[in-house]
Amino acid sequence: PPAEPLTERRQAGGVRTIVLNNPRRRNALSLPMLQSLRRDLLHDVKSRELRVIVIAAKGPVFCSGHDLKELSSEDDVKHHSQVFELCAEVMTLIQKLPVPVIAKVNGMATAAGCQLVASCDIAVASEKSQFATPGVNIGLFCSTPAVALGRSLPRKVALEMLFTGEPLSAHEALMHGLVSKVVPEDKLEEETMKISQKICESSKSVLALGKATFYRQITQDLDTAYKITTQVMVDNLTLRDGQEGIEAFVQKRKPVWSH
């Protein structure tokens, strides 16, 4: 029989759900898995109908990180570079997309899987979820996951994870800012859809401008950040939906977005 696709993509009501679909390999981010994920993220991404992307997974492990069989000495340096370069491309792509991306985590997320969660704009986790960067235990320090972790967590928390490989519980991850919400497993779908549907009520063009600006300013010093965002507020007012929203507020009616 033909092999099942490594990722499944479905879309309804403005919400695209991408499901990592290789539970037998713990949804490892192999080169083919990364290629499939990238395709699903980029598919018709400028469509007016696409408003939010949810990344989920089948099985008890959300994502175990890189497929270590691909990183054995039998493969050459060129192949290893290809794996890590594509992974970095996918992680940065998530933050460059014009729509919010939500990680829906139900289970373990380790190494590059933890990096994937940290790279998403929002992360909702079930209470049984755990997060770890255990590469140090097998002699492969999680240096690329550290990029996303170091930007999501306090430095000392990130470094403890990286130095020890010990996992954070879902509630520890929430406390330190790696995830946005923690809910019981049976409420995970409901809570993720609640956030998604709230996002769908807003203008796609306004959200796209806001998301791009957030990531642009966050790495700047305070004065530069305010200079960037001051201009963007002015630019936002030139958008059709920027004016529509203000007019609707003044007229006490619901806005009709053009996106």
Side-chain angles (χ1 to χ4, degrees):
E4 288 191 18
L6 290 172
T7 59
E8 294 178 350
R9 184 184 74 242
R10 57 180 182 268
Q11 189 167 323
V15 181
R16 173 178 301 166
T17 301
I18 302 171
V19 181
L20 306 182
N21 185 38
N22 192 11
R24 285 187 299 176
R25 298 290 300 154
R26 297 178 300 166
N27 296 313
L29 294 178
S30 62
L31 194 60
M33 174 70 93
L34 286 165
Q35 290 165 338
S36 187
L37 178 57
R38 179 177 61 180
R39 276 195 303 271
D40 285 346
L41 287 168
L42 287 172
H43 177 78
D44 207 13
V45 75
K46 293 183 179 178
S47 162
R48 205 178 282 188
E49 281 67 48
L50 176 63
R51 313 298 301 287
V52 60
I53 294 173
V54 174
I55 300 177
K58 280 189 181 173
V61 176
F62 175 77
C63 179
S64 61
H66 290 294
D67 187 339
L68 295 180
K69 288 187 176 179
E70 282 189 332
L71 305 180
S72 69
S73 57
E74 294 172 12
D75 287 310
D76 59 16
V77 171
K78 185 178 178 183
H79 178 79
H80 296 163
S81 296
Q82 191 179 5
V83 170
F84 290 120
E85 285 167 9
L86 179 56
C87 186
E89 181 188 333
V90 169
M91 300 300 168
T92 54
L93 170 63
I94 288 169
Q95 295 181 356
K96 292 175 182 175
L97 291 172
V99 296
V101 181
I102 303 173
K104 176 186 162 188
V105 187
N106 189 29
M108 196 77 178
T110 58
C114 190
Q115 179 185 3
L116 179 59
V117 175
S119 298
C120 289
D121 304 310
I122 297 170
V124 185
S126 70
E127 290 173 330
K128 75 175 189 181
S129 300
Q130 290 186 300
F131 306 86
T133 48
V136 67
N137 298 329
I138 59 163
L140 184 64
F141 196 88
C142 286
S143 293
T144 45
V147 175
L149 245 64
R151 285 160 170 76
S152 296
L153 292 166
R155 184 176 300 181
K156 288 177 174 58
V157 177
L159 285 170
E160 183 180 347
M161 289 180 70
L162 292 160
F163 289 156
T164 67
E166 288 296 302
L168 290 183
S169 69
H171 287 288
E172 288 171 327
L174 176 65
M175 179 175 66
H176 294 304
L178 180 58
V179 301
S180 319
K181 286 195 174 181
V182 173
V183 295
E185 185 177 4
D186 62 355
K187 298 288 186 185
L188 183 60
E189 173 68 16
E190 178 186 332
E191 188 60 37
T192 305
M193 288 309 299
K194 181 180 172 184
I195 296 169
S196 300
Q197 287 160 2
K198 185 63 181 175
I199 290 169
C200 288
E201 293 175 10
S202 297
S203 160
K204 179 172 182 175
S205 56
V206 170
L207 283 176
L209 178 63
K211 175 174 171 173
T213 305
F214 178 85
Y215 286 113
R216 184 177 162 210
Q217 65 83 25
I218 200 70
T219 58
Q220 305 296 322
D221 65 79
L222 194 63
D223 288 339
T224 304
Y226 272 117
K227 187 174 182 181
I228 290 168
T229 53
T230 297
Q231 182 58 52
V232 170
M233 294 293 285
V234 175
D235 295 343
N236 195 152
L237 289 170
T238 68
L239 295 178
R240 188 188 305 175
D241 282 349
Q243 288 301 315
E244 166 61 17
I246 291 171
E247 287 173 17
F249 178 80
V250 171
Q251 295 168 11
K252 298 181 179 176
R253 61 174 174 83
K254 286 194 74 173
V256 181
W257 305 124
S258 67
H259 305 295

